[in-house]
Amino acid sequence: MSKNHLQIHPSPKLMESMRALGYTSDVAVADIVDNSLDAGASSIEIRGDVSDDPTWIWVSDNGHGMTLNEMVEALKLAAVSSVDARGDHDLGRFGLGLKTASFSQCRRLTLVSKRDGATNGIRFDLDELRESEDWSVRQLDEAELREVPGFEAFSEQQFGTLVCWEKLDRLMESRSQGAEGMGEVITELRSHLGLTFHRLMAPEDQFRARLSIVLNGRAIQPVDPFLRHNRAVEMTSPEVIKIGNDVIKVQAFTLPDSSRITGPDAQRKDLRDGMFAAQGFYFYRNRRLISHGGWAAIGGRRDATKHSRILVDLPNSTDDQWQLDVMKNKVVPPASVRRQLMRFYEVGSRRSGRIISYRGRRVSNPDVEYAWIPVTERGGFRYEPNVEHPVLDDALDDLSCAQRNKVVLAMKHLGLLIPYGDIRRRMSIEDEMPARDNQDALIQHARDVAEALELNWQDPQSVKDVLKQVEPFAGRRDLDQIITLAERPR
């Protein structure tokens, strides 16, 4: 170091100042869970002291654990830079979470970890730090380890990490006394963690082992804000927004009227009187919910949009662009994507308002063979292939009975996969129309139909008589022109 440079060491008082970052207890615990996930944990246990005088809460995981040196590094402020390259599924950001989240709720942080057969424990106590003014942590001996809340059960694990908070001055602040106050903490945690990590706990997740979180002896259940198991929910197909090399995925959901929400879901606040507040963008970072509720200054909460929730998937490589904060509970969409998100806001507004004009056929013509037959059931509708459609019927005639049944079954399955939500959004909300007026495609299709049905191009009227009864040619005013062009040599 140059003689012109003077070294500045952080004051121990810094930690007292950093307690005021604004963490709530549920957000702080979620930050500890992030560390467990980054360590490869698939099972996490959380327990709060429900005695008459609650003094601790701890989080234990089955991650790969840390060596003593790694534990010391973990307790350094900003041990990892926010601009350092990270793994694709890393949930960390600033290297501050363990310390800032913990001390926002307590004055004593104990870290115990097992790796390679060794168990180590260190303690960071703000009262000791203030008295000694020595920026250091204390390594625990075996007797002290045994006194750490949660250590007895943790000691039976082969590897993992235990984080224990004691001296819970901020955690229990402004709460009921004793066990009732810790009960309030537990209730808030169960709701918040079930929502924040629902995509990691859900069976659909393919990126990690299915996550299990147990809170005071009872498993936390994932809370899907999009209610995807409810058949009355409308959803668009996922869309991709590319910003340089980064891929952002967006999908819009419209929740049904409360009369279509039954069972345990009907008791959820966000699906009852809290639906207005819960509308908006749901920003995820590596499938972990970061921010939800509200429209990120792109639009305002309105009754017309209260049924709309839009999922936005962000990779961790976009943290700087989206201004992810230390607590990982707020993002600010960059200008480069605000326009696209505005489009989804408008989509959600119109769909949520239920003012949908259907632009399909109003009355079925019995003289026309439609390719798809609408089937009404259970108060809804679906489409099945029309096996009597001339083109399909001709193709099926060349098959054996077994082959025919197999093809019809496959087509019926495809009917169940028609992206109704995406079609509805494009036609009724974005004013798009199906690309059925592509003349070149229609001409080629006319040729294909004529060949399949062995029509005689020497008799254009007979060709027209057949085509006008078949989709997509039925009702077209330019059918004569299509036939004239189709019969020309290729």
Side-chain angles (χ1 to χ4, degrees):
M1 180 180 293
S2 165
K3 65 180 181 179
N4 295 326
H5 288 77
L6 302 176
Q7 206 167 27
I8 299 176
H9 294 286
S11 166
K13 298 177 182 178
L14 174 63
M15 291 307 305
E16 295 286 353
S17 301
M18 294 188 71
R19 303 190 76 197
L21 283 175
Y23 278 94
T24 57
S25 57
D26 47 8
V27 171
V29 173
D31 218 333
I32 304 303
V33 172
D34 285 341
N35 291 336
S36 296
L37 294 173
D38 286 341
S42 60
S43 178
I44 298 171
E45 182 177 3
I46 305 169
R47 188 168 290 275
D49 179 9
V50 290
S51 68
D52 291 338
D53 182 22
T55 59
W56 52 261
I57 185 171
W58 52 258
V59 180
S60 175
D61 67 52
N62 68 342
H64 53 60
M66 293 179 282
T67 64
L68 179 59
N69 287 338
E70 289 171 336
M71 294 168 68
V72 173
E73 283 295 311
L75 288 181
K76 287 182 179 179
L77 290 177
V80 178
S81 170
S82 64
V83 298
D84 285 348
R86 298 185 298 281
D88 289 342
H89 304 303
D90 191 347
L91 296 173
R93 166 75 168 131
F94 295 96
L96 292 171
L98 175 61
K99 289 77 63 178
T100 54
S102 298
F103 289 127
S104 72
Q105 305 300 309
C106 72
R107 299 191 63 79
R108 173 184 287 175
L109 166 62
T110 302
L111 189 62
V112 182
S113 197
K114 296 183 71 172
R115 185 169 180 176
D116 300 330
T119 302
N120 291 288
I122 54 179
R123 175 169 291 156
F124 200 160
D125 190 305
L126 293 185
D127 294 324
E128 294 178 5
L129 179 64
R130 183 176 58 185
E131 292 174 4
S132 66
E133 296 192 355
D134 179 18
W135 194 278
S136 63
V137 296
R138 182 158 61 90
Q139 184 175 3
L140 305 182
D141 58 31
E142 291 186 12
E144 290 172 317
L145 281 174
R146 288 193 292 270
E147 296 299 319
V148 175
F151 180 78
E152 183 177 357
F154 175 77
S155 63
E156 298 177 1
Q157 297 181 193
Q158 292 185 338
F159 42 79
T161 299
L162 170 67
V163 177
C164 181
W165 296 347
E166 297 175 274
K167 300 182 179 180
L168 308 176
D169 58 338
R170 297 284 178 85
L171 181 74
M172 301 304 295
E173 194 174 50
S174 302
R175 295 190 183 277
S176 301
Q177 296 296 313
E180 185 178 351
M182 181 58 75
E184 295 167 0
V185 173
I186 298 302
T187 299
E188 293 169 6
L189 280 178
R190 192 171 298 281
S191 174
H192 182 77
L193 299 180
L195 177 62
T196 300
F197 299 101
H198 77 95
R199 296 178 69 193
L200 297 171
M201 292 189 282
E204 67 183 72
D205 184 66
Q206 302 172 359
F207 298 95
R208 305 174 186 262
R210 181 177 179 179
L211 175 64
S212 168
I213 304 179
V214 176
L215 176 59
N216 273 40
R218 187 158 63 94
I220 291 179
Q221 299 301 317
V223 179
D224 180 7
F226 311 112
L227 212 61
R228 280 172 282 197
H229 62 275
N230 188 316
R231 295 179 61 184
V233 172
E234 298 174 10
M235 65 186 79
T236 65
S237 297
E239 292 193 23
V240 169
I241 299 173
K242 287 192 174 181
I243 307 296
N245 295 324
D246 297 318
V247 174
I248 298 164
K249 297 179 181 178
V250 186
Q251 187 173 17
F253 296 81
T254 304
L255 273 57
D257 182 77
S258 58
S259 63
R260 307 288 298 275
I261 301 174
T262 59
D265 293 330
Q267 306 304 314
R268 282 173 45 180
K269 182 178 180 180
D270 69 307
L271 300 177
R272 296 184 289 110
D273 54 343
M275 185 175 282
F276 183 88
Q279 65 179 283
F281 292 112
Y282 283 65
F283 294 104
Y284 292 81
R285 177 173 173 268
N286 289 339
R287 300 170 69 81
R288 189 261 205 212
L289 183 61
I290 296 296
S291 174
H292 70 282
W295 294 103
I298 289 174
R301 287 187 177 95
R302 297 184 293 123
D303 280 335
T305 56
K306 72 176 184 178
H307 290 272
S308 180
R309 300 181 183 185
I310 298 176
L311 184 156
V312 183
D313 257 328
L314 308 174
N316 61 14
S317 55
T318 63
D319 288 351
D320 283 335
Q321 301 170 40
W322 287 75
Q323 301 179 45
L324 180 69
D325 67 358
V326 172
M327 293 178 288
K328 291 178 289 187
N329 69 347
K330 182 182 178 181
V331 291
V332 178
S336 55
V337 298
R338 292 183 70 84
R339 182 177 178 181
Q340 291 94 321
L341 293 181
M342 172 60 80
R343 176 168 59 88
F344 278 92
Y345 170 74
E346 293 171 349
V347 167
S349 176
R350 297 181 188 180
R351 294 184 66 176
S352 180
R354 316 308 258 181
I355 306 174
I356 303 296
S357 59
Y358 173 58
R359 296 180 182 175
R361 60 176 82 92
R362 295 182 180 180
V363 179
S364 294
N365 186 339
D367 296 324
V368 175
E369 287 290 352
Y370 295 110
W372 295 92
I373 301 173
V375 178
T376 301
E377 61 180 4
R378 300 188 186 94
F381 69 92
R382 59 182 175 83
Y383 284 91
E384 284 188 354
N386 178 13
V387 295
E388 295 180 1
H389 187 280
V391 176
L392 182 55
D393 182 62
D394 180 76
L396 293 174
D397 271 347
D398 294 332
L399 304 178
S400 67
C401 183
Q403 291 172 327
R404 179 187 177 96
N405 291 338
K406 190 172 183 179
V407 171
V408 171
L409 183 63
M411 293 195 68
K412 286 184 177 179
H413 180 66
L414 289 176
L416 297 175
L417 303 180
I418 294 174
Y420 297 105
D422 190 55
I423 293 171
R424 190 176 187 181
R425 172 177 63 80
R426 291 180 182 277
M427 293 182 66
S428 301
I429 297 169
E430 297 188 4
D431 293 326
E432 295 183 32
M433 292 297 291
R436 301 177 64 178
D437 293 325
N438 185 317
Q439 193 174 65
D440 290 340
L442 287 169
I443 292 169
Q444 184 58 51
H445 188 50
R447 290 170 177 158
D448 293 340
V449 172
E451 181 178 353
L453 301 182
E454 299 180 351
L455 301 181
N456 182 9
W457 285 108
Q458 301 302 317
D459 186 0
Q461 185 59 46
S462 67
V463 174
K464 180 179 179 179
D465 289 342
V466 173
L467 292 185
K468 72 180 182 180
Q469 299 180 52
V470 178
E471 281 192 302
F473 306 106
R476 294 195 66 92
R477 296 179 180 178
D478 59 348
L479 182 56
D480 288 331
Q481 181 184 9
I482 291 171
I483 292 173
T484 298
L485 295 172
E487 64 182 340
R488 291 177 180 175
R490 281 172 279 185

